[in-house]
Amino acid sequence: MINRVLMKENLGFKEVELEISQGLTVFTGLSGAGKSVLFKGILSAFALSESEAKLVEIELDDKIDLEEYGIEGEEENVFKLLKDKNTKYFINNQSISKKSLIHLSKKFIKYLSAKEINEFSNEKFLNLLDALECAKNPEFEDFLSHFKDDYKQWLQISEELTTILEEEKRIEELKELASTQIERISKINPKVGEYEELLNLKKKLSKKDKIEAAWEKASAIFELEKVVIDALNLSEKDTSFFSECLNELRIIAENEKIEDLDFDIEEVLNRIEDLSSLIKRYESIENALEVLENKKNELAHYDNLSFEKKELEKKLEKIEKKINQSTQLLTQARMQNLKTLEDFLNDYLKNLYMKNVSLELVDTSKITSLGKDEIKLSINAANLKNLSSGELNRLRLAFIATECRILNSGTGIIFLDEIDANLSGKEAMSIANVLNELSAFYQIFAISHLPQLSSKAHNHFLVEKNASCSTVKKLKDKDRIKELARMISGETITDEALEFAKTLFKT
């Protein structure tokens, strides 16, 4: 729930700070006062609308799962828009991209303005039909859970079988590719650590002449060994340290005698080149050996492909038979609840002075996570795309209300942009009554032009414009009645308008 709005430098609004409670919030005022500017400013913090505001800060007291966006959630989450040369978005002072913010916002915000029909998705309708059945038959919930598990298994087997069928089409090519890599690596037969050892040997060989010359000069020290020992003995000093030192030198000198090693220098260089080619292709000898093992397994898999295919086909046939039986039961249950769902929708549509909708359950013959069913919705035999924005939004309201009625739940925020524009008083009151019912589940924001809707608000804000700027203030009871009267009779408020406003306010 939004409990605070802060906005700065939004066209005519210098600074706006609103404290908002749960329920229905309406913005009223004369045309051109800035209601839409304010409304879009709030939406812009969620990246659901454009705004000229330099700063918009929205505080929500809901717990929101922000982990997938790399943001740490808090008890109260703050959404912020900052605009300078570019627009930047933040949640809890942590940056978020516009694309990610839109994705997140649409999870808990319904913006009923644009002519969209995504509210009437097949999934939502089928879930409502299933919820109606679960209410009558608690065991149906377990049935749905088992069906979803079966579907996941069916999907996995289908994907594996599809992969095999694709492999079959190019099996010879794949076998040749695998064999080529196996032959390339096996021919060289690399060993871990071998390349580094050979490089060290090559380095030593490149310094062979210098090393030999240096040790030839250094060997003169061994000719003086007896002289030094005699001198130490005459001085009655310990000679062991000197003898040990010379022995270590002899060992080192022996190890540095490259000519005694049994190898062919050309073979060493060729071997280094072969190993280097593998490293260049596979990044390391370890990776090359891993590829070798994988390609051997692949080749075995290709040779065994026919058997695997038959086994998967058996599994698929078995699970598909089970799923087909389940989808038949699903369809039967949904058909039994279709009229109930249709009646619920039409109850709300009747109150909203809309024509009835008809729902048809169609078998698509295609297995999905929802079964094989698809809902076809028409209103007075017309396609949804032929409805006006106002009609479509009232239909969306009816659907949301039906959803809340069936599920006895609903969370989030609904934004309604001029939902009562160009409506009669009774139509506006019908919308007000539905919104009042929905406000038990949702926080609702609306721009209102008619007193019927405004009279039902839990928060009523008046937007005004003077010569220099626009302002917004929260109205108390007396001021609300006065504003309702203005909406009834215009700028010149009559006694009749005041009385009618009081009546609306009390009901």
Side-chain angles (χ1 to χ4, degrees), residues 223-275:
E223 297 174 6
L224 297 173
E225 181 178 7
K226 187 175 183 307
V227 175
V228 174
I229 289 175
D230 288 344
L232 288 170
N233 285 332
L234 285 172
S235 300
E236 297 182 351
K237 300 294 183 181
D238 182 19
T239 62
S240 61
F241 76 93
F242 182 67
S243 297
E244 289 173 3
C245 181
L246 286 185
N247 287 336
E248 286 186 24
L249 281 173
R250 285 191 181 93
I251 292 170
I252 294 172
E254 286 297 319
N255 290 336
E256 293 298 318
K257 289 182 179 179
I258 299 172
E259 65 273 15
D260 293 335
L261 297 176
D262 184 19
F263 62 83
D264 185 329
I265 184 63
E266 285 300 319
E267 286 185 7
V268 170
L269 295 176
N270 289 337
R271 183 67 176 165
I272 289 174
E273 188 176 338
D274 288 341
L275 293 171

Side-chain angles (χ1 to χ4, degrees), residues 18-19 23 28-29 37 111 144 151 170 208 260 282 323 371 376 404 418 430 473:
L18 308 176
E19 300 290 334
T28 65
V37 172
Y111 180 24
L144 287 173
Y151 173 76
R170 45 195 295 261
K208 176 183 177 185
D260 293 335
Y282 301 108
I323 283 180
K376 297 287 186 182
C404 290
E418 304 192 8
S430 70
K473 65 178 180 180

Side-chain angles (χ1 to χ4, degrees), residues 258-307:
I258 299 172
E259 65 273 15
D260 293 335
L261 297 176
D262 184 19
F263 62 83
D264 185 329
I265 184 63
E266 285 300 319
E267 286 185 7
V268 170
L269 295 176
N270 289 337
R271 183 67 176 165
I272 289 174
E273 188 176 338
D274 288 341
L275 293 171
S276 179
S277 68
L278 285 182
I279 292 171
K280 187 175 181 180
R281 178 178 288 272
Y282 301 108
E283 296 185 351
S284 70
I285 296 300
E286 289 83 355
N287 284 351
L289 291 171
E290 185 177 344
V291 169
L292 176 63
E293 189 63 27
N294 290 340
K295 293 302 172 183
K296 285 180 178 178
N297 291 335
E298 274 185 30
L299 200 58
H301 164 68
Y302 297 143
D303 291 336
N304 200 35
L305 207 58
S306 179
F307 174 76

Side-chain angles (χ1 to χ4, degrees), residues 157 161 164 304-318:
I157 294 171
L161 188 57
I164 285 180
N304 200 35
L305 207 58
S306 179
F307 174 76
E308 289 182 19
K309 177 184 172 184
K310 288 179 181 177
E311 288 299 305
L312 283 173
E313 285 174 338
K314 288 179 184 177
K315 289 181 181 179
L316 187 65
E317 184 180 359
K318 183 178 179 181

Side-chain angles (χ1 to χ4, degrees), residues 209-227:
D209 293 338
K210 289 182 179 180
I211 291 172
E212 288 180 344
W215 278 105
E216 187 176 346
K217 290 179 182 179
S219 63
I221 193 172
F222 300 120
E223 297 174 6
L224 297 173
E225 181 178 7
K226 187 175 183 307
V227 175

Side-chain angles (χ1 to χ4, degrees), residues 1-2 22-23 60 62 64 105-110 400 404 409-415 438-445:
M1 182 191 84
I2 295 174
Q22 180 62 286
L60 289 86
D62 300 298
I64 303 172
S105 299
K106 286 187 174 181
K107 290 182 179 181
F108 64 94
I109 293 177
K110 299 178 187 291
I400 295 170
C404 290
S409 67
T411 56
I413 306 167
I414 299 175
F415 284 88
L438 284 176
S439 67
F441 300 97
Y442 290 91
Q443 186 181 32
I444 303 171
F445 291 83

Side-chain angles (χ1 to χ4, degrees), residues 64-73 77 79 91-92 104:
I64 303 172
D65 185 6
L66 301 171
E67 188 175 349
E68 70 173 288
Y69 306 98
I71 294 175
E72 188 174 343
N77 294 289
F79 287 65
I91 301 178
N92 301 333
L104 167 64

